[in-house]
Amino acid sequence: MQNNIIGIIGPTGSGKTHLAAEIFAKQERAAVYQILAQDAGYLGGADDIIDGDMHKFALQIGAPQFRLIYRVKRAGSYVEKNRYVFPDFDYFVRACFERGNMMMLIDEAHMLCTNHSCPLFLWESIITGRHQALDITYITQRFAMVHRDITANTKEFYFWNIIEPSDLDGIQKRCGEEARDAVMMLRRTEDRRKDGGEIIPGEIFHWSGNGESNVYSTVPAGENANEPTTEALIPATGTGSGNVEKG
């Protein structure tokens, strides 16, 4: 069995959720772990929204087809060692792992792990998810804020313009110097709607572990849009508690 791990990385407002939502909408079986409930990007492709009811979630992923948004029960979260802990996250990951043959999407991944610490069941899913045909897509603002075992096992990256030195260093180590330079030179997305203007589309750098890489605009050439679209570059994928500390 094989699985695919996709990383979607870029600053706030660049269009990450829009791209993730398009990937989500193409799956036969998929579930999103959503921390920020006010983000409506996934709604168009979802069959149901589950607000913190893990029992209901576990039952619904037994169906032959589903696209679910699991919204985090924020009331049960807490801060430990300067990071958020969401007790239901391990249950979400475990349920997806045991179900298998689906895609698990993790929004705001930088709120769930660091470059040195990763929730145990997420780490297990990254390392052994191929045995369950569990595809994983994670969305984060920073490359350097995600655990190194996650980025090391990622097979595809979608990058927006990044200039933070620690992120660029990590990209160079994982993807090479040419990828780092390409990410640094991407045109940034500009949202001018507050001043009565439009969204000025940025560029996305798509890197694949098989040696392929391309730069895309977030809208088709010659078109104007109030929301960025990335439809042309999204492939359909094949299938649809504690911490691991690394020094």
Side-chain angles (χ1 to χ4, degrees):
M1 290 185 182
Q2 293 293 324
N3 69 327
N4 195 20
I5 301 176
I6 299 172
I8 298 176
I9 304 173
T12 300
S14 56
K16 299 187 302 298
T17 299
H18 192 83
L19 172 57
E22 289 183 351
I23 294 175
F24 173 65
K26 289 180 178 290
Q27 310 307 312
E28 290 188 3
R29 295 171 296 279
V32 183
Y33 187 83
Q34 187 177 41
I35 295 174
L36 304 178
Q38 64 270 30
D39 194 335
Y42 298 101
L43 293 177
D47 300 322
D48 199 1
I49 301 167
I50 299 174
D51 289 311
D53 187 338
M54 185 52 62
H55 179 69
K56 180 180 179 181
F57 174 75
L59 289 175
Q60 289 197 209
I61 64 173
Q65 296 185 1
F66 56 86
R67 287 192 297 271
L68 304 176
I69 300 172
Y70 180 86
R71 286 180 172 169
V72 176
K73 189 183 295 184
R74 295 296 296 269
S77 64
Y78 57 93
V79 176
E80 182 180 86
K81 297 181 180 179
N82 295 319
R83 67 180 185 86
Y84 285 104
V85 177
F86 299 94
D88 58 359
F89 181 61
D90 278 344
Y91 294 107
F92 174 87
V93 175
R94 194 66 178 178
C96 293
F97 182 85
E98 293 294 341
R99 200 276 178 216
N101 196 27
M102 62 171 288
M103 174 175 277
M104 176 176 70
L105 295 94
I106 302 169
D107 210 354
E108 308 294 341
H110 51 276
M111 296 180 68
L112 295 160
C113 66
T114 71
N115 62 336
H116 294 294
S117 179
C118 182
L120 176 59
F121 290 137
L122 175 58
W123 181 85
E124 180 184 10
S125 296
I126 292 290
I127 300 301
T128 66
R130 66 187 183 278
H131 299 297
Q132 297 292 102
L134 177 65
D135 290 335
I136 300 170
T137 297
Y138 62 92
I139 302 93
T140 181
Q141 297 175 15
R142 298 279 310 279
F143 186 95
M145 291 174 68
V146 176
H147 194 271
R148 289 172 292 180
D149 284 346
I150 297 177
T151 55
N153 284 278
T154 299
K155 297 174 182 175
E156 292 184 73
F157 287 104
Y158 291 93
F159 293 109
W160 278 257
N161 174 263
I162 295 171
I163 58 174
E164 181 65 32
S166 60
D167 293 327
L168 293 171
D169 288 345
I171 292 168
Q172 179 177 348
K173 290 176 182 177
R174 176 65 183 91
C175 305
E177 186 174 346
E178 291 185 4
R180 179 206 63 187
D181 293 344
V183 169
M184 192 166 47
M185 297 301 293
L186 292 172
R187 183 178 67 246
R188 296 179 68 90
T189 302
E190 296 182 49
D191 189 348
R192 299 180 179 178
R193 289 176 294 180
K194 289 183 178 179
D195 300 321
E198 298 177 335
I199 290 179
I200 307 300
E203 293 175 320
I204 299 172
F205 178 70
H206 176 226
W207 179 92
S208 174
N210 63 14
E212 296 180 2
S213 61
N214 292 284
V215 174
Y216 300 90
S217 175
T218 53
V219 296
E223 293 188 17
N224 293 319
N226 289 325
E227 294 293 342
T229 177
T230 48
E231 186 71 28
L233 64 90
I234 310 293
T237 64
T239 59
S241 130
N243 291 308
V244 175
E245 301 286 348
K246 300 288 182 181

